Amino acid sequence: MTCGERRALVLGGGGQTGIAWMYGLVAGLTAHGVDLTGADLVVGTSAGSVVGTNLACGRGPQALLEAQLAPPVGEIAASLGVRQAFRIGAAALLGPRGAARARGRVGRMALAADTMPEHRRLRAIESRLDGATWPAAADLRITAVDAYTGGFRVFDRNAGVGLPTAVAASCAVPGVWPPVSAEGTRYIDGGIRSTANADLAAGYGRVVILAPLTGGFGAAAAPAVQAEALAATTRVALVTPDRRAKQAFGRNVLDPARRPPSARAGRAQAADVAAEIARVWNGRAGA
């Protein structure tokens, strides 16, 4: 397969509502003849790491959507409001410049925060993955940030880190969830570097980016910025929440009670974007 034929699916951060929206969107696109489950590369950041894992491991989009419509049994309620977002942004911006240094300041804030025990959070993540292990068929990459150094880390099947641990690290929202231990250090949310990390799809011929969050913290590159950069050499489609989806998300993307309306909004939005996604995903290379 040539580089022009290889396909990458990039799934961004966005909390519980973002997970539900992406499942709804993927299921809706499947119904419209656009099957995103056959990606050669899957990049998952934060919420996208959960969605990417389940899709890469062969879970059917419709079943994943239906699970979002059920009562959120066992989910831990949390809040990511304007105040916490401001704290994260301030930690990134106030201090010596440099992307890694800024992320390191966010990491130190996360390490000092009073959160639930790490083992309890890991169990919650494991319940979302239903025993998943690193898939052999797809190249699944999960993003995280070293809480001590601010270094960017991309986990894959060769990393020597269990898949649930990698996903928990990618989902470790600073100040909300505990940093996750692996490789002799602790990791926080990959969205601190970029809410989608779509630049990891460079070199692939066709790229679809699903981005529940359109901005970023501090100097983190927004999905639209990264999509524009990729578009210079790659066929790219970027999907962000429409007005109905934003209303479904509400003010707290970590509220599990918002999952059903968010999933339905994603399912409905699929009809509006299916043609655009099909041109990128199903079209001939160079067409």
Side-chain angles (χ1 to χ4, degrees):
M1 181 177 291
T2 66
C3 292
E5 295 172 328
R6 293 192 304 164
R7 300 184 294 188
L9 176 62
V10 177
L11 303 160
Q16 297 258 13
T17 59
I19 290 173
W21 176 75
M22 286 187 281
Y23 282 147
L25 195 59
V26 173
L29 288 170
T30 301
H32 286 280
V34 186
D35 182 6
L36 296 181
T37 64
D40 300 292
L41 170 69
V42 178
V43 177
T45 293
S46 199
S49 70
V50 176
V51 177
T53 291
N54 281 318
L55 292 176
C57 289
R59 277 73 188 263
Q62 184 60 33
L64 293 169
L65 167 60
E66 290 172 359
Q68 296 299 301
L69 301 176
V73 177
E75 287 289 351
I76 304 168
S79 177
L80 179 60
V82 174
R83 180 178 298 180
Q84 183 61 21
F86 176 80
R87 289 183 62 203
I88 295 172
L93 293 172
L94 299 178
R97 295 188 177 183
R101 286 185 175 184
R103 295 193 296 264
R105 289 193 292 274
V106 176
R108 288 192 290 275
M109 182 201 75
L111 290 165
D114 183 15
T115 64
M116 70 168 56
E118 184 180 341
H119 66 85
R120 185 182 172 201
R121 174 61 175 163
L122 184 58
R123 284 201 303 269
I125 294 295
E126 289 172 339
S127 70
R128 296 181 190 174
L129 305 183
D130 194 25
T133 57
W134 288 102
D139 182 3
L140 174 63
R141 302 182 191 177
I142 305 297
T143 68
V145 167
D146 189 307
Y148 293 101
T149 68
F152 184 50
R153 181 71 169 98
V154 181
F155 297 107
D156 62 15
R157 68 170 73 96
N158 299 314
V161 172
L163 183 52
T165 298
V167 172
S170 191
C171 293
V173 180
V176 177
W177 306 121
V180 172
S181 303
E183 303 178 314
T185 188
R186 299 184 76 189
Y187 290 99
I188 58 172
D189 199 311
I192 298 304
R193 191 253 186 180
S194 164
T195 51
N197 292 296
D199 56 320
L200 294 180
Y204 285 75
R206 288 174 275 174
V207 179
V208 170
I209 306 167
L210 308 185
L213 298 179
T214 57
F217 297 115
V225 174
Q226 295 184 331
E228 183 178 0
L230 287 171
T233 56
T234 302
R235 292 168 60 88
V236 180
L238 168 64
V239 183
T240 59
D242 61 12
R243 180 180 58 83
R244 175 177 174 177
K246 291 177 181 177
Q247 291 177 340
F249 290 178
R251 295 185 177 182
N252 178 18
V253 299
L254 300 182
D255 183 0
R258 304 304 301 174
R259 293 190 333 190
S262 299
R264 287 191 288 267
R267 179 66 173 78
Q269 187 176 350
D272 297 326
V273 301
E276 176 192 0
I277 302 302
R279 281 193 294 271
V280 170
W281 199 251
N282 298 333
R284 293 175 300 157

